[in-house]
Amino acid sequence: MAVITYWGHACFRLDEPGKEKLVFDPYLTGNPQAPLKAEAVEADYILVSHGHGDHLGDAYAIAKKCEATIIATAEIAGEAQGKGLKAHAQHIGGKHGYPFGFVKLTPALHGAGIPGGHACGFVVRYYGRTIYFAGDTGLFGDMKLIGELEKPDLALLPIGDNFTMGIDDAVVAASFLKAPLVIPYHYNTWPLIEADPQEFKDKVEEKGGMRCVVLAPGESFQL
Ligand code: NI
Ligand code: MN
């Protein structure tokens, strides 16, 4: 059974016993919510949504230690390869197969954090389950298309406002994506992005048909 684990801010691990471990946006060093140190992370693939420090975070250090492959846009993958790390470059709209399934890059309305780049989100097919990780993004109408085309089983959505969607826009995003399960992130790391995940959960579930699970940093949920 696949398990999603929240490590605070925008960092998640997706794994299944005996299978590849995927880590999203590993910002642990300096993250007040981080339940573990970067040195303790084991990963086979590291998905990096953009170059801001609270997402690229410890990606290169973990990739080096674990000989993990970074999956990111060409600009970040190129930078990683320039440091002698393993990286697979993709770009928005492109899908690539991996032993666990596939990764497809989606648009994200946000800064790249690296010259010439783009921020992205990810649709990940992992042993039969489809997970949409929105990255840092504002609400956009094509999330409806992501919902229709990819039919995610789980949507991971930022709710902290200021840099990304806030609660009300994320509720609309959830209604566009139609994933039966929604998990919020990118909130309460700092006072600037304070948000009440219970308010988000209530509003999402009130819209009907979907379940919202709020994970405290360090908590896991079996998919
Ligand atoms: Ni950002
Ligand atoms: Mn961010």
Side-chain angles (χ1 to χ4, degrees), residues 1-13:
M1 294 296 272
V3 175
I4 189 93
T5 302
Y6 186 44
W7 283 339
H9 199 57
C11 183
F12 289 92
R13 181 187 62 192

Side-chain angles (χ1 to χ4, degrees), residues 9 50 54-55 136 186:
H9 199 57
H50 63 296
D54 58 320
H55 296 263
D136 271 8
H186 213 277

Side-chain angles (χ1 to χ4, degrees), residues 87-116:
H88 184 92
Q90 293 185 223
H91 234 302
I92 291 166
K95 180 194 282 185
H96 183 72
Y98 295 90
F100 53 82
F102 68 73
V103 174
K104 183 176 181 182
L105 266 58
T106 64
L109 289 181
H110 194 75
I114 182 169

Side-chain angles (χ1 to χ4, degrees), residues 55-191:
H55 296 263
L56 183 58
D58 299 294
Y60 295 158
I62 296 168
K64 186 174 182 191
K65 189 200 73 160
C66 299
E67 294 181 23
T69 300
I70 289 179
I71 301 173
T73 57
E75 289 74 19
I76 289 176
E79 187 176 86
Q81 285 161 347
K83 295 176 186 296
L85 302 170
K86 284 197 282 182
H88 184 92
Q90 293 185 223
H91 234 302
I92 291 166
K95 180 194 282 185
H96 183 72
Y98 295 90
F100 53 82
F102 68 73
V103 174
K104 183 176 181 182
L105 266 58
T106 64
L109 289 181
H110 194 75
I114 182 169
H118 289 81
C120 73
F122 299 102
V123 171
V124 177
R125 184 86 174 156
Y126 185 81
Y127 294 104
R129 281 184 181 72
T130 303
I131 291 104
Y132 171 56
F133 172 79
D136 271 8
T137 186
L139 176 65
F140 55 93
D142 282 355
M143 285 182 180
K144 227 175 223 177
L145 202 53
I146 294 171
E148 285 170 16
L149 296 177
E150 311 295 344
K151 298 182 175 55
D153 299 296
L154 164 63
L156 304 170
L157 298 174
I159 64 162
D161 226 331
N162 193 75
F163 300 114
T164 68
M165 295 186 282
I167 287 175
D168 290 333
D169 282 2
V171 169
V172 175
S175 74
F176 284 172
L177 292 159
K178 292 189 168 55
L181 180 66
V182 179
I183 297 176
Y185 66 88
H186 213 277
Y187 64 94
N188 292 351
T189 318
W190 312 291

Side-chain angles (χ1 to χ4, degrees), residues 9-69:
H9 199 57
C11 183
F12 289 92
R13 181 187 62 192
L14 177 64
D15 74 336
E16 187 168 319
K19 308 286 194 195
E20 300 87 351
K21 292 175 171 58
L22 276 58
V23 175
F24 297 74
D25 285 356
Y27 167 53
L28 299 164
T29 303
N31 174 0
Q33 294 186 324
L36 79 173
K37 289 196 185 308
E39 299 78 56
V41 172
E42 289 175 19
D44 297 292
Y45 295 91
I46 303 168
L47 287 72
V48 179
S49 67
H50 63 296
H52 289 155
D54 58 320
H55 296 263
L56 183 58
D58 299 294
Y60 295 158
I62 296 168
K64 186 174 182 191
K65 189 200 73 160
C66 299
E67 294 181 23
T69 300

